[in-house]
Amino acid sequence: MKKIILLTSFIILGYIHLWAQNDLLKKANVLYEMNLFEEAIPVYFQYLRSQPDNKEAILKVAESYEMINDLEHAEQWYRSALAKNVLAENILKYGKVLMRQGKYEEAKQQFTIYASVDLEEGKNYARMCDDAYKKKDILSLYKVSLENINTEHTEFSPTFFKNQLVYGSFRKDVVRPDATTEEAQKENPTTNYLFQSNYDDKGVLGPPTYLRSWFRDNDKINEGPIAYSANGQWVAFTKNQYVNNVSTLAHHLYRSDIFIAKVLDNGDWEEVENFPFNSPSFSNTYPFLSSDGNTLYFASNREGGYGGFDIYKSIKNNGLWTEPKNLGNTINKKGDEITPYLVENDLYFSSDYLSGFGGQDVFKATFNPSKKTWTIMNLGTAINTSANDFGFIYNQDKNLGYLVSDRTGSEDIFKLMKSSTDISIQIIDALDKKAVSNVHLDFTKCGKGTYQTSENGQFALKASSGINCEVTLKKSGYHNQKFKINKDLAAQGNIEIKMYQVGQKYTGKIVDGNSNLPISNVRVRILNELTGAKTEEFSDKNGIYTIALKAHQKYMISFNKLGYVDYAEKHDTKDGTDKSILGSVLLFPRNAVVDGGTSPIPSPPPVIDPTPPMPPVPTPPTPTPPSPIPDGEIQKGYSIQLLSLSAGNNNFPDGIWSLKGLVEQVYTTTDQKWKRFRVGVYATKEEAEKIKKLVQNKGFAKAYIVEEDAKGVIQKVKM
């Protein structure tokens, strides 16, 4: 009987212990859900002393360390969790923690393993590790330094307002106007306020003060991220649930809404309105307002996006905000895209999915209004690290900007300035205009090393004053491409360079039909007649143009420049071995004299045929034969005379080639005095009249109709 009682006692004590342990796990999970990760960790430890194999607790400890940016401990606990065969998604989290520490090779191994679960995402992050390693030594375009307003607490969301910097902080050393709640503020790790600091004459920020001039209850706590319109008349802000020393990244929020208010002269806000597209089902945060306050950019994890947080745009029309529009999948990806900031046509934002160095990276997206497309570039080292870098803002006039980064272990505000002229290089395929990834750029002649473009075919370069050197681009399967960097090129800022695949590069030349001099800046349009694809190029100062053509395709190539007669010709690339098919093209100035003027070949000058055009001859109604007259002996009929040279002049007028593809037959007729170039022969004058108009439009303005009598030596010109 005693044994039974003793056994029962042990069972009851076991249940009591189990209940106590379950209470610990519940308590830890409550703290975790409240984002109080530092407080949650020791409670999980208590639970794990008796339950060391609990997967949930081990993972929550790993995630908690990650949230407070203690990545070394996070790495250790994720490794322990993976040994317990947890869900595959934790392999991805572990890889990201490794990457945020700059451990790219180890991270790549985890992402490669994860690719067996999600091929797209695994390959994307593995490729990101490769890119980060290759770009880690690239010189930065910016000088970045820790701002003097930071404390041991979290500082976030910098924004310009008049001659001030406004930002959020959990700092406790500034005395509030309503000291009655000061003690509560000191004890509450979830309370943050907005502060303002003024610039002195040297651009140095002074001591912070509370932003708003009066306080009532708790209506002005936990505000931010925040953004003012450039005119200072409007402000957009969110209410947050941030916790001190925990990341202020969007996915840590339960839910946030955007509010918009009018700014008074004293800095206070009135007419605070709820953005009409807020919802309890998702978050809207990280607002940016246009200079007039009528356009709002923001990040949201609403349904219908591309994954995580995407960047949206809404416009105020007649006092009403339009339905938010997603900026599209060039900018928004499967991860989180946040903190939009617009400077003219450049949108700065952060992403943890586009190719970067780890965590959130800052990118610049440049909008092309004519093509309605974005070109995206990573801002490179100094701005971006293996940590989270976001919240970028920049004033071009002052060459002054800020960003938020947790590279020091907690989130701080960093000051940035462009250190020199920056050049953004975009490498594209000459045929399809798509980005060419992983191109090697040899800067050895510029006193630098060899670098590589990103997967988007981009590279950023800091151009020092007086730079003047040659860069070589290399990639397997492409012709080497060279270009010179000098002060003029640096002034352009954004440079687009085309590379030609081996076997697709064709070169031609364009010259003036009268002077035989090269013509620059001629628009060359290329139409693939089989696929309908269109591209265009321009001739250089030497009249040279280079285009990309595929084998076994037929193309229509047209040439256009103001002041010259338009011209077009057809080409069949066949097997692609003949790279000389373009040859030379002659363009004739409009209203130029061809027959009776100067020959395209300057020596010897042509002699004018004194024979006037024949008077019109009545044409009797006869059956119309095929036109033009078939090859063989030239028969009688009507032709178009282009020009005449002296019989002894053996030079060939290159302008004849401008008729290639337009007419079926050009021939010469020669007697003792003259060599006449003619098109024909046509059976009726009406047919000849039609062709004459086409010929005149191709530069032979003085062409006229003659009645061919087949006298003299006749020779067909091979076109």
Side-chain angles (χ1 to χ4, degrees), residues 471-533:
V471 179
T472 302
L473 308 181
K474 299 178 181 179
K475 181 172 181 175
S476 177
Y478 285 82
H479 291 281
N480 290 350
Q481 184 78 4
K482 295 183 178 182
F483 70 97
K484 288 187 176 181
I485 294 182
N486 51 39
K487 63 179 182 180
D488 295 328
L489 193 63
Q492 297 178 23
N494 297 319
I495 305 168
E496 186 176 82
I497 300 175
K498 302 178 182 68
M499 291 192 72
Y500 296 83
Q501 293 188 40
V502 173
Q504 294 183 357
K505 188 175 183 180
Y506 291 77
T507 301
K509 186 175 183 179
I510 308 170
V511 297
D512 187 292
N514 285 348
S515 67
N516 210 34
L517 295 175
I519 310 175
S520 65
N521 205 35
V522 176
R523 185 190 299 272
V524 182
R525 292 188 174 96
I526 305 98
L527 169 65
N528 187 318
E529 294 187 322
L530 298 180
T531 67

Side-chain angles (χ1 to χ4, degrees), residues 42-220:
V43 182
Y44 282 123
F45 283 171
Q46 284 184 269
Y47 174 76
L48 287 167
R49 287 192 187 103
S50 60
Q51 303 292 328
D53 295 325
N54 186 279
K55 295 180 183 179
E56 178 188 3
I58 294 172
L59 274 174
K60 291 290 179 63
V61 171
E63 291 169 352
S64 295
Y65 274 124
E66 181 184 358
M67 293 298 187
I68 63 175
N69 210 39
D70 187 341
L71 300 181
E72 290 186 8
H73 281 101
E75 176 187 344
Q76 295 172 12
W77 283 88
Y78 272 122
R79 192 181 302 118
S80 297
L82 292 177
K84 306 294 182 182
N85 295 318
V86 294
L87 294 176
E89 65 185 31
N90 294 290
I91 300 174
L92 181 64
K93 293 180 180 179
Y94 178 45
K96 289 182 178 180
V97 166
L98 291 169
M99 190 177 183
R100 285 181 59 194
Q101 297 177 84
K103 299 179 179 180
Y104 297 121
E105 289 298 328
E106 297 175 53
K108 182 181 177 181
Q109 293 176 9
Q110 300 304 316
F111 296 140
T112 303
I113 295 172
Y114 184 72
S116 63
V117 178
D118 187 325
L119 180 62
E120 177 190 349
E121 195 162 10
K123 288 181 65 176
N124 180 74
Y125 284 110
R127 184 171 56 246
M128 194 184 297
C129 290
D130 288 336
D131 287 347
Y133 185 80
K134 293 169 185 174
K135 295 184 294 187
K136 62 185 178 65
D137 296 324
I138 295 176
L139 295 175
S140 173
L141 308 178
Y142 293 87
K143 180 180 179 181
V144 178
S145 59
L146 193 64
E147 187 51 275
N148 62 9
I149 57 175
N150 292 296
T151 66
E152 72 274 16
H153 301 287
T154 298
E155 273 75 37
F156 65 100
S157 185
T159 183
F160 295 113
F161 175 57
K162 297 182 178 180
N163 192 41
Q164 301 171 334
L165 184 72
V166 174
Y167 63 98
S169 176
F170 286 86
R171 65 188 305 159
K172 311 298 181 184
D173 58 335
V174 180
V175 179
R176 281 185 48 180
D178 58 340
T180 55
T181 60
E182 185 176 353
E183 292 302 318
Q185 178 191 3
K186 289 182 179 179
E187 296 172 359
N188 190 350
T190 66
T191 303
N192 58 80
Y193 282 86
L194 293 174
F195 293 88
Q196 59 188 1
S197 291
N198 293 308
Y199 293 97
D200 64 16
D201 294 339
K202 296 181 180 179
V204 178
L205 287 173
T209 60
Y210 285 93
L211 172 65
R212 302 170 73 177
S213 61
W214 54 273
F215 291 85
R216 184 182 66 235
D217 302 325
N218 289 326
D219 68 336
K220 296 173 181 63

Side-chain angles (χ1 to χ4, degrees), residues 4 28 40 87 144 151 165 246 284 295 330 347 370 384 407 482 529 531 546 549 564-565 581 661 665 693 714-715:
I4 295 174
L87 294 176
V144 178
T151 66
L165 184 72
V246 177
N284 293 328
T295 303
T330 302
L347 174 70
S370 60
N384 293 315
R407 65 188 68 179
K482 295 183 178 182
E529 294 187 322
T531 67
T546 303
L549 305 177
Y564 284 84
V565 178
I581 61 174
Q665 181 171 274
K693 292 179 180 179
I714 304 297
Q715 184 175 356

Side-chain angles (χ1 to χ4, degrees), residues 533-592:
K534 298 178 181 179
T535 57
E536 70 174 38
E537 303 292 344
F538 288 86
S539 60
D540 64 16
K541 64 180 180 180
N542 297 314
I544 302 297
Y545 66 98
T546 303
I547 59 178
L549 305 177
K550 293 181 69 174
H552 306 293
Q553 303 287 304
K554 293 183 178 181
Y555 293 90
M556 172 66 78
I557 303 176
S558 60
F559 305 85
N560 170 262
K561 183 173 182 177
L562 186 64
Y564 284 84
V565 178
D566 293 348
Y567 170 60
E569 60 186 24
K570 293 185 177 182
H571 289 284
D572 186 340
T573 55
K574 298 181 179 178
D575 62 1
T577 57
D578 185 1
K579 293 297 186 293
S580 65
I581 61 174
L582 299 182
S584 293
V585 169
L586 272 75
L587 293 187
F588 288 90
R590 293 188 180 277
N591 302 320

Side-chain angles (χ1 to χ4, degrees), residues 198-260:
N198 293 308
Y199 293 97
D200 64 16
D201 294 339
K202 296 181 180 179
V204 178
L205 287 173
T209 60
Y210 285 93
L211 172 65
R212 302 170 73 177
S213 61
W214 54 273
F215 291 85
R216 184 182 66 235
D217 302 325
N218 289 326
D219 68 336
K220 296 173 181 63
I221 64 173
N222 298 90
E223 290 175 342
I226 178 177
Y228 286 90
S229 61
N231 62 14
Q233 297 178 7
W234 298 94
V235 64
F237 65 98
T238 63
K239 285 284 188 178
N240 65 64
Q241 302 94 32
Y242 293 145
V243 175
N244 191 31
N245 294 326
V246 177
S247 174
T248 61
L249 292 175
H251 63 269
H252 297 161
L253 295 175
Y254 297 112
R255 188 180 66 81
S256 60
D257 293 331
I258 292 177
F259 300 86
I260 302 168

Side-chain angles (χ1 to χ4, degrees), residues 146 268 345 400 425 442 472 474 477 608 651 680:
L146 193 64
D268 266 333
N345 284 334
L400 175 65
I425 299 173
D442 186 350
T472 302
K474 299 178 181 179
I608 307 303
N651 290 311

